[in-house]
Amino acid sequence: MELYSLTIHELRELLKKREVSALEVTKSYLERIKEVEPKIDALVTITEDFALQKAKEADEKIKKGEDTALTGIPVIIKDNISTEGIKTTCSSKMLENYIPPYNATVVEKLLEEGVIILGKSNLDEFAMGSSTENSAFKTTKNPWDLSRVPGGSSGGSAAAIAADEAAFALGSDTGGSIRQPASLCGVVGMKPTYGLVSRYGLVAFASSLDQIGPFTKDVTDCAIVLNTIIGHDPKDSTSLKIDKPDYTSYLKEDIKGLRIGVAKEFFGEGIEEGVKETVQESIKVLQNLGAEIIDISIPYVEYALPAYYIIASAEASSNLARYDGIRYGHIAEKYEDLIDMYMVTRSEGFGKEVKRRIMLGTYALSSGYYDAYYKKALKVRTLIKNDFEKAFEKCDVIIGPTSPTVAFKIGERANDPLAMYLADIYTVSVNIAGLPGISIPCGLSDGLPVGLQIIGRHFEEGKILNVAYAFEQANKFNAKPQAIGVQDNEVRSSDWLRGPCRTFDREQNLL
Amino acid sequence: MIGLEVHAELLTESKIFCSCTTKFGGEPNTHVCPVCLGLPGTLPVLNKKVVEYAVRAGLALNCTIANFSKMDRKNYFYPDLPKAYQISQYDLPLCSNGYVEIEVDGKVKKIGIKRIHIEEDAGKLLHENTDGSLVDYNRAGVPLIEIVSEPDMSTPEEAYQYLTKLKSILEYTEVSDCKMQEGSLRVDTNVSVRPVGSTELGTKIELKNLNSFKAVQKALEYEIKRQVKVLEEGGTIVQETRRWNESKGITEPMRTKEEAHDYRYFPEPDLVPIIVTDEWKEEIRKSLPEMPHHKRERFIAEYGLPEYDAKIITSSKKMADFFEKCVLEYDSPKAVSNWLMGEFSRLMNETGKEIDEVPVTPQMLAKLLKLIDNGVISGSIAKTVFEEMFGTGKEPEVVVEEKGLKQIANENELREIIKKVIAENPKSVEDYKNGKEKAMGFLVGQVMKATKGKANPQLTNQILKEELSK
Amino acid sequence: MAISRSEVEHVAKLARLKFSQEEIEEFTVQLSKIIDYVNKLNELDTENVEPTAHIVPIYNVFREDEVKPSMDRDKILMNALYKENGCFKVPKIIE
């Protein structure tokens, strides 16, 4: 067993007993990255020197007995989360050379615990997409099948965990951007309740929907990471003051009498037969564990996707207006005057999907259309919220598939925006209602992972973790992606992994 | 019809959404942090004082305070706006439906206040550079209130009175220092004319670049004349924004923007709603200082000031405060008010200084007045002493000592000088003895001249009479 | 088409984006499809429904009026390409 294949709780055991050092763990992961990265392109920046330095500091901490739950554990952070002194590109040409002078609150929290940052992961530009194909730098491949997408927008983080490039990763979820890639890559991914994790330092896509969350190898790790990253932040007005629970206390196998809602709307049109069957079998597993399965209906959920595209795009059009090249980011070289400078800068800096959403959002907010689109969508949001509230009167959690399909082929939906949007059909309603949701691997269909989504009431992450843990214990998901091996000697000797924050791009063909 | 939009910077210590200082000046971009620079990922957190100050202003201006209020984004691109949206308030402002009472030709008129909302200021563009413009974000995020009047004013004089009253109230409530030269008070106005008797609304013209209340008045006078002339000649008024050209004394059209504004307002998702409960509102109301008209009435009743004096002294809160502190030390209100309205105001006007920028404290003025009462200096010498105090901030007794301005109150010393004056002016002595009372004044004047004004007036009179009757 | 070419051009200008003629064509088609799709919301009667701008009902989140040190100017300016005299530099603006 290699160190890099272990979970956080397994690594912590070894570190605590001083059987391995944080430096050894870190080196193991850096080696692993060197091996698999050329195949999957999950990372935009690798922070090797920084990681090695942090590993030494972590070992000091451990030596002094000052270590906590995540000390010495390597992480990969989605590249739309600000890291001081380390490029934060959002996988956009616009921010290709942008180095934030401050850390996101979650990054501060991780660093305080002695977490080791290995690098920044690839994403759909500004987190807009469901396949990571919209990155300006590279397309991340699914470790289960390199011809397929890892999902998105946090595809880099999901693929990195599936390929054992880090012990855990952070992503962000606006309409499914953690859960959908977690599903497609066969890892655990959670979007917490809106307001549970500080958004300070997360480059905004849609402020009223965005939430940071973890990717882990199992449910226990998810609870461990959650313990660290949640909590009220005075820098984020929408972050809530709640008593911090110990999420690991919810990791129990007992779910007897728990009411699990199954909504027919989550098994509708477009769902693949293999996905449907795998999820239905999973429901049986939970039933056998003593849970009560209740049929429910969330009638307005079919309006979640169109409402989502209006709300998210409108907010994005405003959030992305600041990119004008004056204070940071790409700036045009040739232009006629000030207005032209804005137009050329922004047209050069943004990719197609980003422009499409800015256009849609600007249109939805523009004079004469606000009521018909934005306000209407906010009203539909109320209906969906009420729908879930009613459903949660009958059950404790709701389950269903995370994604209607398994990982699709690279390029398959690239030219059809609407088809791509449908990838989020089961996840967006959770963001619209601000609820917590997790995706855990529940089996394979045609050799590709299927994700089970568990949705809870606001701030009931504990209950979700309880169900997820019980399921995981009863139905161990031991399959490993086969598309990346542990061999590949040909890349060993290369020295492409130098420097504190190296950016890869397409030109550097590393394979 | 004239409507005014006033932007006033609030006197908070820190900015509206971050902890940077609001201090005026400072090297460019030194009062800036990731939040007010709008760096990707940063979030605003509302300064509680901003809400309190806005509510305070709203209460002082007789507004209804919204129980439920929210922030909105106003989207537009400009280099001084780091996020490319201004966080402001759109459909639910904190305060609405207020009014101000002004006096025109002895009659009281109510000017309606449509709304007061809170928002952030933008940065500053500097144009001195030849090949480009420079941006300083020190001012970005300084809190503002925007006070929008109803179009209730019908003459430029009313607009002037409204602004003066508004400024006085904002200063009174201590929410803004209203310094137009530092940009902490800014005025835009719009004006339309319509023929007498017509009920149809005229076309609104917006006026900009108004750097003083007098400029507002003059620009409005010019603009009304211009519009009337256009209409009389059978022309039509085109809706536009015009700029006041101070040196030429005219308004000129500003370059028309190619596109109409579409600010795409929507609720700010990064900030939560503001709820001002009745308790909070009452708490703020209790913290409100006494308003000008109440103060005026009290000054008349409590200090026995004439109405005219009371009005002038209370027109500025700082002046009124100065007055009360001074009276505490020197119990002759009328004397204090005479000095404030006289020498004090004259020197403030000459130097363009505000009362709190003058080094003379109420205690110092009280001491000066006591020196007069105690016969140490005369009233006229006191003016010389005061001028020195005003310029240097020295204590009155120090000035008197340094400049040797003490009164000659020594009887023997004064009698010698008077004897000399009598000896030198036989003609006047003759006249006096012949019953010409005027001659007495001349002789007193001569004594003052000989003593450089330092002779004690009462003593001089007494000795003169004695000597002349000899 | 749910959106016309000229509307697309107008929206592009509002958003400060510049497109070639072909891109305008492409966007007109794509945005029309998306708008047709989101128009699905019109099936719902929302006459008496309140809009939800904030999903978690909290209010009055404030900070105290305290000054903290600003950021070093070097850091403020470090990501800007054009700067001069401690300021960000933009093309000459005539007001």
Side-chain angles (χ1 to χ4, degrees), chain B residues 13-15 18-20 28-29 32 46-48 77-78 127 129 131 133-135 259 271 273-275, chain C residues 14 16 54 58-60 62-63 65-68 70-71 73 84 86-90 92-94:
Chain B
E13 298 288 323
S14 62
K15 290 186 178 180
C18 66
S19 306
C20 288
N29 295 304
V32 181
L46 183 55
N47 183 340
K48 190 177 185 185
F77 292 89
Y78 209 62
H127 302 294
N129 197 292
D131 64 334
S133 297
L134 301 179
V135 201
E259 56 178 315
L271 291 166
I274 303 160
I275 292 184
Chain C
L14 274 181
R16 294 284 188 273
H54 292 89
I58 50 170
Y59 56 88
N60 287 4
F62 301 120
R63 36 170 281 274
D65 184 26
E66 286 163 3
V67 175
K68 286 179 189 158
S70 296
M71 187 170 262
R73 189 161 72 181
E84 199 172 299
C87 291
F88 298 92
K89 195 173 175 185
V90 295
K92 188 86 182 163
I93 297 165
I94 305 124

Side-chain angles (χ1 to χ4, degrees), chain B residues 166-183:
Chain B
L166 192 65
K167 178 174 185 251
S168 152
I169 291 172
L170 293 179
E171 282 174 344
Y172 255 84
T173 46
E174 292 174 329
V175 301
S176 176
D177 62 13
C178 299
K179 289 181 183 163
M180 283 193 94
Q181 68 276 17
E182 289 182 9

Side-chain angles (χ1 to χ4, degrees), chain B residues 33-57:
Chain B
C33 72
V35 175
C36 54
L37 189 63
L39 285 188
T42 57
L43 297 169
V45 184
L46 183 55
N47 183 340
K48 190 177 185 185
K49 264 260 156 76
V50 171
V51 178
E52 285 175 350
Y53 280 5
V55 170
R56 213 195 261 187

Side-chain angles (χ1 to χ4, degrees), chain A residues 99 303 340 347 369 382, chain C residues 7 18 43-44 50 52 79:
Chain A
I99 300 172
Y303 298 96
D340 200 45
S347 297
Y369 293 105
T382 307
Chain C
E7 274 181 301
K18 201 174 199 170
E43 293 167 9
L44 296 173
E50 282 296 311
T52 298
N79 281 291

